Amino acid sequence: MAAPPPLWQHEVATLGRDQTSKLPVVPIASRAAAAGMDGAEEKLSETWRHIKGVARDDAKQYDLMELVRNARREDTYQFPVPGWPSLLRAVSPSMPDLPAMVQDKYRTCQTMCFCGVFPEIRRAWASVDNSLFLWRYDRSGDVPVEYCGEEQAICCVGLAQPKPGVFLSAIQHVLVLATTVEIVLLGVCTSPAKGGSSDAYEQLSLQPMPLYSLPSDNVVMTCFAASDSGRIFLGGSDGHVYEVQYAATDSWRQRRCSKVRVTGGIQQMLPSFLPSFLFGAPVPLDKLVLDNERGILYSLAANSAIQVFDLGADGTEPAKRVAELTDFLTEVSRLPTGRSVFAPGEDKRGTAIKYLAVIPMSESWKVHLMAVTSNGRRAFLTTNPQVRAYSYGSRDSRSSSVPAHLDPKKARPCALVALDARGPLPQAPVAGSRVTTDPTSRVLDVTAALYTQGTLVLAESAGPDGKATKLLLAARNHTLPPPSVNVNLGSGAAGLREVVSDLEQHIPGETTAIGCLPQPSVLGPELHPGGSWGACQDELAGQMFSGPLQLVLVSTAGVLQLERRRPVDVLQALLQERSPEKLQQFFEAYGAPEAAAMCYLLATAENQSMRLVEEAITALENPLLVGQPLMPEEGGSGAEAARNAGATGDGIYMGTAVNPNPEPDWSGAHKGLAVYISRLLAPIWEAKLITPSASNANVWKARLSERSMTVLENKLRALERFLAEISKRRKARGFGKAGNGQQHSSSFLGGQLEDGTSRLLNAGSALAVAGAGDAPFVKRQRMWNAFVMEEQRNNAVRQLASKAAQALLLLRTIVAGNVNRLVNRLDADTKRALRDLHFRDLVLEGSSPGTAAALVAALVADQLDQAGGGSAAGGVAELATALQAGAPAYFREQDRQFFQATAKLKAAEEAGSAAERDAAAREALAGLLRVPQCVNLSQMVGRLAFLRQYEGVVELVLRCAALADPHSQAWRLGSSADTAAARAARDRCYSYLLGVLKPLLGVGPPPVAAPLGAAAAAAGTAGAGAGAEAEGSPLTPKERLAAKEAMMQAILRSGDQYLVTVLYSTLVDVGADEDLLAHPSAALELYLRQEGGLAGNAGGGGGPGALVGGQVGPLSRRQVAHLELLARLHIKKGKYAAAAGVYRALAERRSGAGDAAVSLEQRLDALHNALLQARSVGDEQLTDGLRGSVKVMSLQLSIADQLKQRLAAAAIPAGCTREQLQAQLRELQSSSLDISDLYNSYAQPLELWGVCLDICNFAGNVPAEYVRQLWDLLLKQAWEQQQQQQQQGDEAGEPDGRLQGCCDKVAALGVNFYPNESSLPLSHVTLRLEAIAAGLWPSPCDAARDASLVVRCLRALLAPAAGDNASGVIAGVYEQLLAKRGALLDGGVAGAGVVLGGSGDGAARSALRLRLLQSLAAHCRIVMEEELASSLTGQPDHGYPSRFLGRSQQAAALADLAERCAAEARGIGGDAAAEGLALAEQFDRVAAQLAGSSGR
């Protein structure tokens, strides 16, 4: 594929250093897969599902315990196929001798010598007396480093990792030397050579540390162990275990370096020479073994006794002995397998434990320790018998309810119990003989052993004198089991099958140690191929990323490097040998899919020879090795099931479902391809890519190292090239040509793979497929179809490999820069998506389609921001070229166009004049509008607004919203899931537009934009040297108004109905009512009606019919705001009737909970507004109706207020509870009620007599007798309330107080009724008040002392309506009561009989007449004082109508009244006669005074 042209070849060249800085991060829309690939591109996710289904590489793994128990004796051990290379081979052709310095020292040895190997630092070691030698075992002639700083003989040597923070960082290891008298720690420093060698272990130096030495207390240390955390343990000849504790400094609790005995109990308190006498001769310790995963330390004594020490779950707690196994043979013999492996009464020397190996948790939860005896037998032990073994690979599927003591990750050791035993390795059989595992048939003399990654290496004495070593190896056998082996025994495990191999030649000397080199993966340390399983169970998967197991053997004759071949190494040797028989044996042994996967591994390996690649291709295309794809009808997958289901001869399967589109049974080559790519992607497929740091959430880090990504990318690209080469060769061989006389097919296979279709053409031509030449035509057709389907699948796998490689290239490019700075360019949503982004998401782009694009944009923007000077254009162009060439799926032509536009935008921001800025901004906007799918609105909108491209902001947002909702589903009515999703997508786009509009509306900080005119030129001149962006200036009110109007007009004419609705909603929310009403339209009215809850009501006209009928609601506060705006819109348009209807709907709406609740005050206020608008219409009927509604609502509000007062004062009416009263209040406040409901349900039952009178006054046509009765009830209620206050000691309850309370009620209510006699029977009410004043009604009591109270009440009642004529009306009422003497005395006046009790006695009647006259006397005094006296002082006449003309006429009338009253007073007899005479004298004086003033 030709490389694309450089990015911005012309555009970027015109920009300076500072013009390319700070370009924004812009997510690019989801991308298609890379173009230009052959074949139909299937969806990558479906391809991955196909791969996992075909590979089935997630096969269940089994616990070592299950494998051992399910192993059959006859199938325990197998030997390699004859003719195959041995699994164990020597790296060098000859064994190097020990260094001359060591041999010379050994010849002069006086006390003791030892030797071993430290694979961690690539050194072998030997100690002779007090000298220690270290030399490179992998280099012939290396000069040893000698240390002889101790005086006593060295008895034990060990290498440990130092504790963090104790020593200098240059000290990478600690060498522990134990002599017969002291223990010394030496610092080990390794470094590359000065010439720049890549070997980190080239140079070695030992640093003495005098402060870290301590005496051994006469204990000869015999063994050593160290933990990964730096703890050091030593085993002594006294049978005890010691820990060397060391720290950076001394403390009051602990010395810098000290020794602690872990075992011994009370012996620690005794002198060192006493235990031998008290406790017997000690048994020396031979070995210490440490299990770092479980935190367990094991010690092995010379008598095969094993002790178990618990170091805590994290390995940092003080060592505590928890178990001891003193009789190993007895413990093992109690097992059924132990009795068969260890013969009873056998020589204990052969059963002595020679080697202990820790079983990692990746191999077993149940088995913790393996013991190897001197004769090569093995025993498997556990420290916690209750922990169960995992099976079926369910280590991570345990129930969370498992108790802690059964959880293998939490359970602590409590015992040491044997679980199973395994016989010794058999001897290689003679041709034709049978392999046996009889323990008596093979006797070994093990001198050294090593167990690692499922491989056991044993060194046994060999040769006639026993001074040579034979090396044996037992490893997991990953070949297919023979048909005779039951692979489904017990828990389902096939049993532990091991292949036994040996080194072809003997090794000179006696082996003293075997070490294993660290087996680094080609991937970084952050990835663990095959998950958390060890290489022993996943050797077939582990060989993808790890080399052969490297071993180092040290004998008394020298050091030998060994290598254990992997299965792929065996295949490589067989391919190079080019033996068809052996190759076929290999494919049969491992299975065609597994062997084919190894062929892919070899063919795509780096720096692989072309000859080997050709051999791999030949093997993958050999149907005898890998088979060929077959349809079910030809015996492929499903054929056997069909036959078992009773398939008929014509292919119709009776009684079983038929798949209309069956897939073939894929060939072994395709299955192997699926296995290979599945294993290749397994380490990173579920890996997270970029996440916040655990210590600081604001710091982002890449989770994959560049090394891992480079290795995987190279392998994927090699696989892509290899698959392309195979496809090319198949096309070149002429597939599709006629094979039996038929017409030539135009490169059928090639066309099928290139046009991308999935249809199967009629392949009448015969293909070069095995078995197709003599087959019938229909069969050849099916075989051809199967072949084409497999080729399509191969191409789909190739596409997946390409996409994954491109993703890795993108990630590598990201990791090469500052990841944290790059991520900080992303918006919050993208950061959240990035936090959960896995590699599979990046490849499939299913769950995070925009994240990959955002990363690409951030990468390019960061490059532009960081590059400077002349390197900016070149660096960015180089990056773009690399991305377009290596990752075309993530960087396409539209991306280039987008970044061109952003460059123009940057130039506009830094332009020196307003004209240049505007021209560049418009050009940038035009470029952005061409690629809206690449635009990140969060960045672009703000920049365009800064450049005053307000209409461009609207247009760009509209383009992006159209992409987010291409079918305009947001405009549709309803609330389906698709509509909701479309609206949410559009809302995300519109939010950026509104972010620009709101500041223009006065919400938030004032808007800032690029300066214009002289300010722009000044800013451009000031920033020209520094290249800084022009600083914005606040918009003036005029500029803000123009910008706001431009945006709103662009929105309104856009035709986007949903955006217009969003605009209206925003204006309502921010309170921009005037801006909203400034653009009246039918759409606005419809929007306000819909949002206000009136969508189903008519009423847009201006006539009376505009009133909204029926109740609406409940309405939220926001809906109410919309309806109020609707009413204002109607008023603005002159539709007053419609406005009145809206207000009436607000008043009569249903009440709800929360903000939907509506108070009676709000209802009344809405009715007042409706009435105001109705008056503007001039419709009397409408006005009268609303006026009545206002009155009824006022009455309802009055009732509610009185109920609240009663509840507050706890004045609950009789027969009613507080809860009932509260319920009535809630019901009353919930909605507007009819006047009849108010009277019958509330006012009358609750004895609200004043409200009852008010309702009667409003209703009219109420019988007079009923009204008088209500007045009596009102006055009686007021009197009783005052009486209760008297009982409570309140002065208001005195006679004058009782009367005043009643007068107040009459005055407050009557002022609204007068002069309506039907609602206010004044004579009757006055008579009742006078009876109360006289103490005659409603119950006998003391009379009131103040005779003016009733008169003053009447004056206050009549003053607003009667004015100056009030005194005449009052006089007339009293004269009426006095004139009807007989009626009054006989009860003729309405109610008089009630007052006087029927005919009554004379005293009561006299008292009532006397009280009437006293009130008239008070009336005369008040008139003289307040009216006539004021007129004499010259106050103006108010002009109220009066029956008297002028002040003289009023005085004369009052004088006549006084004379008549005097005569009436003198006529009072009985006990009140004296009071009557005194009252008559008062009237006489009044008459005389008035007569003088009137001139009579």
Side-chain angles (χ1 to χ4, degrees):
M1 178 168 47
L7 181 64
W8 311 301
Q9 186 170 4
H10 303 289
E11 291 81 351
V12 178
T14 61
L15 301 178
R17 169 189 173 92
D18 301 306
Q19 291 175 307
T20 57
S21 62
K22 298 183 180 178
L23 288 182
V25 174
V26 195
I28 304 167
S30 60
R31 311 169 185 275
M37 300 185 66
D38 293 339
E41 180 184 344
E42 298 182 34
K43 292 183 178 179
L44 297 180
S45 57
E46 197 279 331
T47 301
W48 178 251
R49 288 193 297 269
H50 167 76
I51 290 172
K52 297 302 291 183
V54 173
R56 298 179 181 177
D57 201 35
D58 52 353
K60 299 169 183 175
Q61 303 290 346
Y62 298 95
D63 192 282
L64 177 62
M65 188 68 250
E66 301 289 341
L67 296 175
V68 172
R69 285 183 174 174
N70 290 335
R72 299 199 309 176
R73 183 175 181 181
E74 61 272 19
D75 296 309
T76 300
Y77 298 112
Q78 296 83 35
F79 288 92
V81 177
W84 287 16
S86 173
L87 295 182
L88 199 61
R89 75 176 186 92
V91 175
S92 58
S94 61
M95 178 176 178
D97 295 333
L98 294 176
M101 292 176 59
V102 178
Q103 296 184 33
D104 293 342
K105 189 68 175 180
Y106 176 73
R107 296 188 187 97
T108 61
C109 177
Q110 298 178 359
T111 54
M112 61 183 71
C113 63
F114 302 94
C115 57
V117 63
F118 293 142
E120 299 90 340
I121 58 175
R122 308 296 190 270
R123 258 66 175 183
W125 64 271
S127 66
V128 182
D129 293 336
N130 65 338
S131 297
L132 176 68
F133 301 92
L134 295 167
W135 71 95
R136 290 288 294 260
Y137 55 74
D138 54 351
R139 290 187 182 177
S140 177
D142 185 55
V143 179
V145 174
E146 182 180 3
Y147 175 79
C148 53
E150 307 302 324
E151 297 180 356
Q152 303 300 321
I154 298 174
C155 57
C156 184
V157 182
L159 191 69
Q161 288 282 346
K163 290 182 179 179
V166 176
F167 306 114
L168 297 176
S169 59
I171 298 179
Q172 296 138 359
H173 297 84
V174 174
L175 190 63
V176 182
L177 294 182
T179 68
T180 54
V181 296
E182 67 176 342
I183 302 171
V184 178
L185 302 186
L186 299 176
V188 179
C189 303
T190 58
S191 61
K194 295 182 180 179
S197 173
S198 60
D199 188 356
Y201 306 98
E202 179 72 23
Q203 296 183 347
L204 179 142
S205 62
L206 301 179
Q207 301 295 329
M209 297 184 292
L211 297 178
Y212 293 92
S213 63
L214 63 156
S216 63
D217 297 330
N218 297 326
V219 177
V220 177
M221 300 301 171
T222 58
C223 50
F224 164 90
S227 70
D228 292 342
S229 60
R231 297 181 69 175
I232 298 174
F233 297 93
L234 295 170
S237 59
D238 59 352
H240 293 296
V241 178
Y242 299 87
E243 181 176 3
V244 177
Q245 298 180 347
Y246 58 99
T249 58
D250 290 328
S251 65
W252 65 274
R253 297 180 58 185
Q254 183 180 354
R255 295 176 54 191
R256 186 191 303 265
C257 187
S258 61
K259 174 170 61 71
V260 177
R261 184 190 294 176
V262 176
T263 55
I266 194 174
Q267 298 181 35
Q268 299 187 49
M269 308 298 178
L270 302 178
S272 59
F273 61 85
L274 290 180
S276 61
F277 297 101
L278 298 178
F279 303 102
V283 180
L285 296 182
D286 281 351
K287 292 186 183 301
L288 290 180
V289 180
L290 206 149
D291 187 344
N292 285 287
E293 278 187 303
R294 301 182 180 92
I296 303 175
L297 175 67
Y298 303 95
S299 68
L300 175 64
N303 61 356
S304 298
I306 306 175
Q307 297 182 89
V308 183
F309 300 89
D310 186 5
L311 305 181
D314 56 355
T316 60
E317 298 179 9
K320 179 177 65 175
R321 183 170 62 180
V322 294
E324 182 176 8
L325 180 61
T326 57
D327 192 342
F328 169 75
L329 184 59
T330 301
E331 172 66 20
V332 177
S333 298
R334 68 178 180 80
L335 302 171
T337 54
R339 288 192 294 270
S340 63
V341 172
F342 294 88
E346 190 176 350
D347 183 8
K348 289 190 177 182
R349 289 180 299 177
T351 60
I353 300 176
K354 191 67 176 181
Y355 176 74
L356 289 180
V358 171
I359 303 299
M361 294 181 68
S362 60
E363 295 185 38
S364 177
W365 280 352
K366 183 73 172 178
V367 181
H368 299 168
L369 189 68
M370 181 179 71
V372 181
T373 63
S374 297
N375 54 17
R377 297 162 191 174
R378 283 175 282 175
F380 301 94
L381 304 99
T382 182
T383 61
N384 199 321
Q386 294 180 326
V387 172
R388 65 179 178 87
Y390 69 81
S391 59
Y392 300 97
S394 60
R395 302 189 321 153
D396 297 325
S397 60
R398 292 181 294 106
S399 171
S400 58
S401 61
V402 174
H405 69 282
L406 298 181
D407 189 341
K409 297 182 180 179
K410 299 179 181 179
R412 303 312 308 148
C414 59
L416 189 61
V417 179
L419 297 175
D420 214 316
R422 198 167 178 87
L425 304 185
Q427 193 170 12
V430 182
S433 65
R434 179 176 175 272
V435 178
T436 178
T437 56
D438 186 357
T440 61
S441 64
R442 179 75 164 119
V443 177
L444 301 179
D445 183 11
V446 177
T447 59
L450 174 70
Y451 179 81
T452 179
Q453 300 177 4
T455 300
L456 175 65
V457 181
L458 298 179
E460 68 164 336
S461 299
D465 54 358
K467 292 186 178 181
T469 298
K470 182 178 181 180
L471 207 58
L472 302 175
L473 178 142
R476 298 285 177 89
N477 189 353
H478 293 284
T479 61
L480 299 177
S484 61
V485 177
N486 187 353
V487 297
N488 198 22
L489 296 175
S491 64
L496 180 60
R497 301 168 57 245
E498 292 181 305
V499 57
V500 179
S501 182
D502 58 3
L503 194 63
E504 297 176 355
Q505 67 273 18
H506 288 182
I507 301 172
E510 180 182 353
T511 299
T512 59
I514 305 176
C516 175
L517 271 70
Q519 191 177 8
S521 170
V522 294
L523 302 179
E526 77 282 358
L527 296 179
H528 302 282
S532 59
W533 303 99
C536 59
Q537 295 211 28
D538 277 340
E539 182 184 18
L540 296 177
Q543 65 184 357
M544 297 276 296
F545 307 105
S546 298
L549 180 64
Q550 302 291 325
L551 304 173
V552 181
L553 182 145
V554 180
S555 74
T556 56
V559 181
L560 180 64
Q561 295 183 71
L562 302 164
E563 180 180 275
R564 187 232 159 173
R565 284 190 174 99
R566 304 166 297 170
V568 69
D569 299 324
V570 176
L571 175 60
Q572 180 175 357
L574 297 179
L575 288 173
Q576 292 173 342
E577 188 178 349
R578 305 182 69 177
S579 172
E581 294 78 10
K582 294 179 181 180
L583 197 59
Q584 185 170 2
Q585 289 176 343
F586 187 90
F587 273 74
E588 292 175 352
Y590 284 93
E594 196 63 58
M598 296 185 210
C599 287
Y600 284 109
L601 175 59
L602 290 173
T604 58
E606 190 175 1
N607 300 324
Q608 189 64 273
S609 66
M610 287 305 300
R611 176 184 173 186
L612 189 62
V613 173
E614 292 293 339
E615 293 296 332
I617 294 177
T618 302
L620 290 173
E621 293 188 334
N622 187 348
L624 297 178
L625 297 179
V626 298
Q628 60 188 22
L630 295 175
M631 298 303 291
E633 297 87 344
E634 306 302 328
S637 64
E640 185 64 27
R643 286 194 295 270
N644 294 337
T648 62
D650 56 357
I652 303 301
Y653 302 156
M654 304 301 295
T656 184
V658 178
N659 184 1
N661 298 305
E663 285 192 335
D665 182 11
W666 312 104
S667 69
H670 182 72
K671 294 177 181 178
L673 175 61
V675 170
Y676 176 71
I677 194 170
S678 174
R679 291 175 180 171
L680 191 59
L681 294 176
I684 60 170
W685 192 252
E686 297 295 334
K688 289 190 175 182
L689 304 179
I690 301 175
T691 58
S693 172
S695 58
N696 188 349
N698 295 323
V699 177
W700 293 72
K701 293 184 178 180
R703 296 305 175 188
L704 299 179
S705 65
E706 186 174 1
R707 170 179 136 190
S708 299
M709 291 185 288
T710 301
V711 170
L712 291 172
E713 181 191 354
N714 292 338
K715 287 181 174 292
L716 287 167
R717 293 197 184 276
L719 177 62
E720 179 188 5
R721 291 191 299 268
F722 182 71
L723 293 176
E725 180 64 22
I726 292 180
S727 179
K728 178 181 178 182
R729 293 189 180 193
R730 288 178 176 174
K731 296 176 189 178
R733 284 199 299 268
F735 281 108
K737 293 182 179 180
N740 50 354
Q742 297 184 357
Q743 185 178 358
H744 172 73
S745 175
S746 59
S747 186
F748 168 72
L749 179 57
Q752 174 66 23
L753 298 178
E754 289 175 356
D755 63 8
T757 63
S758 59
R759 54 193 173 92
L760 293 182
L761 305 179
N762 185 357
S765 57
L767 301 177
V769 180
D774 300 329
F777 174 79
V778 176
K779 183 175 181 179
R780 291 199 309 273
Q781 174 97 14
R782 289 195 295 262
M783 295 175 69
W784 168 248
N785 289 345
F787 178 81
V788 172
M789 292 175 69
E790 182 167 291
E791 283 299 306
Q792 290 176 340
R793 289 296 187 181
N794 287 343
N795 269 342
V797 173
R798 181 159 62 97
Q799 292 174 12
L800 179 64
S802 175
K803 186 67 178 296
Q806 294 179 50
L808 288 169
L809 173 64
L810 174 62
L811 289 174
R812 279 201 306 111
T813 310
I814 292 172
V815 172
N818 189 318
V819 176
N820 191 60
R821 184 178 64 230
L822 185 147
V823 173
N824 286 332
R825 291 177 174 271
L826 305 176
D827 56 31
D829 292 338
T830 307
K831 285 183 179 179
R832 282 192 293 269
L834 181 61
R835 183 182 293 109
D836 299 326
L837 182 69
H838 297 75
F839 183 75
R840 68 167 187 272
D841 304 321
L842 189 62
V843 176
L844 305 180
E845 293 194 277
S847 59
S848 302
T851 309
L855 290 172
V856 173
L859 180 63
V860 177
D862 187 71
Q863 179 71 21
L864 286 172
D865 194 13
Q866 297 304 314
S871 63
V876 174
E878 182 180 351
L879 172 63
T881 301
L883 288 177
Q884 284 186 322
Y890 298 98
F891 196 88
R892 297 180 300 168
E893 174 62 23
Q894 25 184 304
D895 305 330
R896 184 187 66 83
Q897 295 180 10
F898 168 75
F899 285 108
Q900 283 181 338
T902 57
K904 293 291 184 182
L905 203 61
K906 185 68 177 178
E909 292 170 343
E910 298 178 351
S913 66
E916 293 177 2
R917 177 183 297 130
D918 187 65
R922 291 182 182 278
E923 188 176 352
L925 177 62
L928 294 175
L929 292 176
R930 285 193 294 268
V931 286
Q933 67 272 24
C934 301
V935 174
N936 180 358
L937 293 175
S938 65
Q939 297 286 345
M940 291 295 104
V941 167
R943 300 178 70 185
L944 290 173
F946 179 81
L947 296 173
R948 301 175 183 263
Q949 300 297 314
Y950 297 105
E951 295 184 8
V953 167
V954 176
E955 188 174 357
L956 184 61
V957 169
L958 287 171
R959 296 282 182 93
C960 294
L963 285 177
D965 179 22
H967 303 294
S968 300
Q969 291 184 343
W971 300 1
R972 299 178 183 177
L973 299 177
S975 57
S976 64
D978 293 340
T979 302
R983 290 176 179 173
R986 285 186 175 264
D987 286 339
R988 285 192 292 271
C989 297
Y990 297 155
S991 63
Y992 300 108
L993 185 152
L994 298 178
V996 176
L997 180 61
K998 286 181 180 179
L1000 298 176
L1001 296 171
V1003 179
V1008 177
L1012 295 175
T1021 303
E1029 295 182 8
E1031 295 184 358
S1033 59
L1035 296 181
T1036 64
K1038 184 178 180 180
E1039 291 173 340
R1040 179 185 297 185
L1041 180 61
K1044 176 181 66 176
E1045 188 65 22
M1047 290 193 70
M1048 294 183 64
Q1049 289 294 343
I1051 294 173
L1052 293 175
R1053 66 171 179 264
S1054 66
D1056 188 335
Q1057 303 172 11
Y1058 187 67
L1059 177 57
V1060 173
T1061 301
V1062 171
L1063 172 64
Y1064 289 155
S1065 177
T1066 301
L1067 294 176
V1068 173
D1069 293 340
V1070 302
D1073 299 348
E1074 297 302 326
D1075 293 300
L1076 179 68
L1077 299 177
H1079 301 83
S1081 64
L1084 176 58
E1085 182 176 343
L1086 177 62
Y1087 164 76
L1088 292 175
R1089 294 184 66 83
Q1090 290 176 341
E1091 294 298 316
L1094 300 183
N1097 292 274
L1107 287 173
V1108 179
Q1111 283 187 319
V1112 296
L1115 302 178
S1116 65
R1117 188 176 304 170
R1118 193 171 187 276
Q1119 289 177 304
V1120 172
H1122 280 81
L1123 289 183
E1124 290 175 347
L1125 286 170
L1126 177 61
R1128 292 175 59 184
L1129 179 64
H1130 287 321
I1131 295 172
K1132 187 178 182 67
K1133 292 182 176 182
K1135 299 179 180 180
Y1136 302 110
V1142 174
Y1143 281 125
R1144 184 173 180 178
L1146 287 172
E1148 297 178 353
R1149 69 185 186 271
R1150 299 181 185 88
S1151 183
D1155 66 345
V1158 53
S1159 65
L1160 297 178
E1161 291 83 358
Q1162 292 172 330
R1163 295 183 187 275
L1164 183 60
D1165 183 64
L1167 285 173
H1168 278 301
N1169 290 331
L1171 179 59
L1172 179 62
Q1173 302 306 319
R1175 288 171 178 170
S1176 301
V1177 178
D1179 188 337
E1180 293 298 330
Q1181 181 180 359
L1182 177 62
T1183 303
D1184 291 343
L1186 287 173
R1187 189 180 291 113
S1189 298
V1190 169
K1191 180 61 180 178
V1192 173
M1193 185 55 62
S1194 300
L1195 292 172
Q1196 186 171 344
L1197 179 61
S1198 176
I1199 295 174
D1201 291 340
Q1202 294 189 46
L1203 290 184
K1204 293 178 183 177
Q1205 294 174 6
R1206 289 188 178 184
L1207 288 171
I1212 310 301
C1216 181
T1217 64
R1218 184 179 184 85
E1219 290 72 17
Q1220 291 175 341
L1221 198 62
Q1222 291 174 338
Q1224 286 182 319
L1225 178 61
R1226 287 193 298 269
E1227 182 181 358
L1228 187 67
Q1229 293 176 328
S1230 63
S1231 62
S1232 57
L1233 301 177
D1234 186 76
I1235 192 168
S1236 59
D1237 294 332
L1238 293 177
Y1239 187 89
N1240 297 323
S1241 301
Y1242 295 94
Q1244 195 273 338
L1246 295 175
E1247 300 179 354
L1248 303 177
W1249 308 119
V1251 177
C1252 289
L1253 287 168
D1254 211 344
I1255 292 175
C1256 292
N1257 178 64
F1258 172 72
N1261 299 323
V1262 181
E1265 182 62 27
Y1266 190 78
V1267 173
R1268 289 194 294 270
Q1269 184 180 358
L1270 290 176
W1271 277 106
D1272 289 347
L1273 292 172
L1274 174 68
L1275 293 173
K1276 184 177 180 181
Q1277 185 183 60
W1279 187 88
E1280 290 174 349
Q1281 291 175 354
Q1282 300 298 325
Q1283 184 73 12
Q1284 290 177 0
Q1285 293 181 6
Q1286 180 183 14
Q1287 294 174 358
Q1288 296 173 1
D1290 194 341
E1291 294 181 359
E1294 296 297 326
D1296 285 1
R1298 292 195 296 268
L1299 178 59
Q1300 183 63 51
C1302 295
C1303 290
D1304 291 342
K1305 289 283 187 180
V1306 172
L1309 194 59
V1311 70
N1312 299 321
F1313 298 165
Y1314 184 81
N1316 186 357
E1317 184 66 23
S1318 61
S1319 301
L1320 179 62
L1322 196 58
S1323 299
H1324 177 80
V1325 173
T1326 303
L1327 180 62
R1328 285 287 183 264
L1329 291 176
E1330 293 295 345
I1332 293 172
L1336 302 176
W1337 187 83
S1339 297
C1341 61
D1342 297 335
R1345 293 184 295 273
D1346 190 351
S1348 66
L1349 291 178
V1350 177
V1351 176
R1352 292 186 182 280
C1353 169
L1354 295 176
R1355 290 177 64 83
L1357 184 153
L1358 298 174
D1364 289 343
N1365 196 34
S1367 58
V1369 175
I1370 294 173
V1373 171
Y1374 277 95
E1375 284 188 284
Q1376 178 185 2
L1377 293 176
L1378 292 173
K1380 297 181 180 181
R1381 181 184 303 272
L1384 177 63
L1385 297 178
D1386 299 335
V1389 176
V1394 178
V1395 174
L1396 302 177
S1399 58
D1401 55 12
R1405 298 180 185 182
S1406 299
L1408 179 59
R1409 293 180 62 82
L1410 181 64
R1411 189 67 193 184
L1412 293 173
L1413 291 173
Q1414 289 175 344
S1415 295
L1416 276 174
H1419 171 66
C1420 293
R1421 281 196 311 275
I1422 292 173
V1423 172
M1424 291 176 62
E1425 294 173 357
E1426 297 184 3
E1427 296 185 19
L1428 296 181
S1430 61
S1431 64
L1432 294 176
T1433 60
Q1435 293 185 1
D1437 189 359
H1438 295 288
Y1440 291 121
S1442 175
R1443 96 171 82 161
F1444 305 106
L1445 300 175
R1447 290 187 294 274
S1448 60
Q1449 294 178 354
Q1450 184 180 6
L1454 190 60
D1456 291 342
L1457 175 64
E1459 292 174 356
R1460 291 194 300 273
C1461 289
E1464 187 71 28
R1466 290 186 180 94
I1468 297 176
D1471 295 337
E1475 295 185 33
L1477 293 175
L1479 188 58
E1481 293 178 358
Q1482 294 182 16
F1483 281 118
D1484 290 337
R1485 288 193 296 273
V1486 169
Q1489 185 178 359
L1490 291 173
S1493 63
S1494 61
R1496 292 176 51 184

